[in-house]
Structures are given as structure tokens and as C-alpha cells.
């Protein structure tokens, strides 16, 4: 008999607690529906203040030492040329020398490889520049044929452009995106006859940096354009407000 009463009591308590939890769930659900979620956008256009540029040069010779000596001559000529164009010595960095053995392949009538003949050494080196004098290095990269005209086998890469004050730009965009989102939320609340309550949640998107007026795609992890000197950055802020 006692066990039966205890079982009924536990069941009754469970029922009451269940009703309480259900009531809270309904209350919280209704409360969550009285919210406004908006997304604001912040953008900023700026010009890069840092440039990097690199090029490579090489020499071929059957004798390793001769190839190295010839490459050293080209290295000095390139270094002197860059200095003559106003590049600071501290901005010029030469990589270590890369050495590759070269072979000539011979095949028989069936296309099988029958002999590899050693034809010499290929030595290559890279020179790179990082500078805040963007216009100067940009112009230098476009007129690198002056080095080629000196008989140096030189291959130039395209410059890459960066901005050293990106953290400041990001803070400005976050402020602008937050303001934009809040104004949107206020307008929605006003048009619905409500008033904006407390901020419940704020979510920041990733920064996207593209060339102005370009059709570059945004990526999930963020886009960072280095090919364009002029850039446009954007960021989104998602805000969720309670509505009174």
C-alpha cells in the first residue's frame, strides 16, 4: 500500500515538473520570437602602403664553379642596378643559390629511355624587395627589361600590395557596420509599432579585401587581394535585439 502511494506521489510530482518545464519552453519560445535580427555592412577604400616584388636569375655551365662565378657576377650587377634606382640596400634580399643537375634523355625507336647524359649545372637565385616606397618599386618592376638588356637571364614576378594599418581600417568598418545594423533594426521596430530592446547577440563576419569595382568572389574564410594597389575592404555585423 505504501509503495503504491509513493509511486502515485512520484508520478504526480513528475507531471507537475513536466508542466513547469513545458510552460518555460513556451515562454522562452515566445520570447525568442520577439526579436529582430539584422545585418549591417561596413566598407572602406584605401591605397596600399607596402609593396613586395621579386625576380629570379640563373646560369648554366658544365662546370659548377664556373656557373657559380657567373651567377655571382649577375648578382652584383643586379644589386648595383637596384641601388642606382634608389632602392635601399636593406630592402634587397637575395636567396640562397639553388643548384640543379641537368641531363639529356635519349630514347630508342620504341620510346624507351636508354641513356641519360649529364649536360651541366643550372644555378638559380631569387632577389626580393619589400618597401614602403610603393610607386618607386612599382615603376622598377615595370622597367626590368633594363636588366635583361645587360645580358642577364632575369624573370620578374608581379608585385604584391599590402596595407600596414589594416587593424585601424577593421575597427572603423566594425563601427560603421554596427551603426548600420542598429539603424536598420530601429527602422524595422518603428515600422512595426514596437521599440528596440536590449542587444542579445552580435556576430561579426570575416573581412573581405578586393580590388574596387571588381567581380572578385567573397570566400567563407575571407578574401585578401594582393594584386591591386587600390583596395576595398568590407565586413558584416549581425545583431539580434529584443523587441518591446
Amino acid at each position: 500500500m505504501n509503495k503504491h502511494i509513493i509511486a502515485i506521489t512520484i508520478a504526480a510530482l513528475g507531471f507537475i515538473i513536466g508542466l513547469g518545464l513545458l510552460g518555460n519552453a513556451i515562454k522562452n519560445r515566445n520570447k525568442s520570437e520577439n526579436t529582430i535580427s539584422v545585418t549591417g555592412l561596413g566598407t572602406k577604400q584605401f591605397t596600399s602602403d607596402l609593396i613586395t616584388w621579386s625576380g629570379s636569375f640563373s646560369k648554366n655551365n658544365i662546370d659548377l664553379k664556373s656557373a657559380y662565378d657567373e651567377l655571382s657576377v649577375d648578382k652584383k650587377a643586379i644589386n648595383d642596378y637596384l641601388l642606382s634606382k634608389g632602392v635601399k640596400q636593406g630592402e634587397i634580399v637575395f636567396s640562397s643559390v639553388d643548384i640543379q643537375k641537368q641531363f639529356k634523355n635519349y630514347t630508342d625507336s620504341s620510346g624507351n629511355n636508354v641513356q641519360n647524359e649529364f649536360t651541366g649545372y643550372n644555378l638559380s637565385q631569387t632577389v626580393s624587395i619589400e618597401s614602403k616606397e610603393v610607386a618607386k618599386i612599382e615603376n622598377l618592376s615595370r622597367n626590368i627589361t633594363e636588366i635583361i638588356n645587360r645580358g642577364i637571364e632575369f624573370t620578374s614576378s608581379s608585385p604584391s600590395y599590402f596595407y600596414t594599418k589594416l587593424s585601424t581600417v577593421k575597427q572603423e568598418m566594425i563601427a560603421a557596420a554596427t551603426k548600420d545594423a542598429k539603424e536598420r533594426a530601429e527602422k524595422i521596430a518603428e515600422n512595426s509599432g514596437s521599440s528596440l530592446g536590449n542587444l542579445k547577440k552580435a556576430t561579426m563576419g570575416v573581412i573581405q579585401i578586393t580590388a574596387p569595382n571588381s567581380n572578385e568572389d567573397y570566400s567563407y574564410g575571407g578574401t585578401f587581394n594582393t594584386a591591386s594597389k587600390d583596395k576595398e575592404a568590407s565586413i558584416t555585423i549581425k545583431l539580434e535585439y529584443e523587441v518591446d
Side-chain angles (χ1 to χ4, degrees):
M1 182 67 179
N2 290 336
K3 291 182 179 180
H4 183 66
I5 294 173
I6 292 172
I8 294 174
T9 302
I10 292 174
L13 287 173
F15 181 72
I16 294 171
I17 293 172
L19 287 177
L21 292 174
L22 179 62
N24 285 332
I26 295 173
K27 180 180 178 181
N28 291 333
R29 185 195 66 184
N30 292 335
K31 184 178 180 180
S32 65
E33 290 177 351
N34 292 328
T35 60
I36 293 177
S37 294
V38 289
T39 300
L41 175 65
T43 62
K44 181 80 173 180
Q45 290 192 352
F46 54 93
T47 301
S48 302
D49 61 359
L50 181 71
I51 185 172
T52 63
W53 170 80
S54 65
S56 60
F57 54 103
S58 62
K59 280 294 183 183
N60 296 284
N61 200 299
I62 193 70
D63 179 67
L64 179 59
K65 184 179 183 306
S66 297
Y68 185 83
D69 291 342
E70 292 170 358
L71 191 72
S72 297
V73 172
D74 285 354
K75 175 183 176 181
K76 185 179 185 307
I78 292 170
N79 190 77
D80 291 344
Y81 171 78
L82 295 176
L83 292 176
S84 71
K85 294 300 181 180
V87 182
K88 299 179 180 64
Q89 185 65 67
E91 297 174 337
I92 306 172
V93 177
F94 286 92
S95 70
S96 58
V97 178
D98 180 65
I99 303 174
Q100 297 288 335
K101 290 183 177 180
Q102 295 182 312
F103 296 90
K104 185 176 181 179
N105 296 328
Y106 292 92
T107 57
D108 58 21
S109 58
S110 300
N112 298 315
N113 192 26
V114 294
Q115 184 180 7
N116 289 327
E117 179 185 353
F118 175 69
T119 59
Y121 295 92
N122 174 266
L123 273 63
S124 61
Q125 202 166 6
T126 299
V127 58
S128 58
I129 297 172
E130 181 179 296
S131 175
K132 290 187 176 182
E133 297 183 272
V134 177
K136 177 189 290 184
I137 305 305
E138 186 178 48
N139 184 63
L140 178 66
S141 69
R142 292 173 178 171
N143 295 282
I144 209 64
T145 51
E146 293 183 33
I147 291 180
I148 299 174
N149 291 336
R150 298 186 182 193
I152 299 174
E153 296 182 17
F154 193 88
T155 303
S156 175
S157 301
S158 299
S160 295
Y161 301 91
F162 303 90
Y163 191 61
T164 61
K165 302 173 184 176
L166 194 58
S167 59
T168 302
V169 170
K170 189 174 181 178
Q171 291 174 7
E172 294 175 352
M173 289 193 301
I174 291 173
T178 303
K179 181 182 178 182
D180 181 47
K182 185 176 181 181
E183 290 176 349
R184 291 170 184 265
E186 289 173 339
K187 182 59 68 174
I188 293 172
E190 179 185 340
N191 291 339
S192 63
S194 304
S195 60
L196 211 58
N198 295 326
L199 176 65
K200 293 185 61 180
K201 186 178 180 182
T203 306
M204 183 176 68
V206 296
I207 188 170
Q208 310 282 352
I209 300 177
T210 62
N213 305 314
S214 70
N215 59 354
E216 293 178 67
D217 293 329
Y218 286 177
S219 69
Y220 180 80
T223 301
F224 194 93
N225 175 290
T226 59
S228 173
K229 179 171 63 176
D230 296 316
K231 304 180 188 297
E232 181 176 71
S234 63
I235 198 167
T236 57
I237 297 289
K238 183 178 181 181
L239 303 181
E240 184 177 332
Y241 285 96
E242 292 179 352
V243 178
D244 298 329

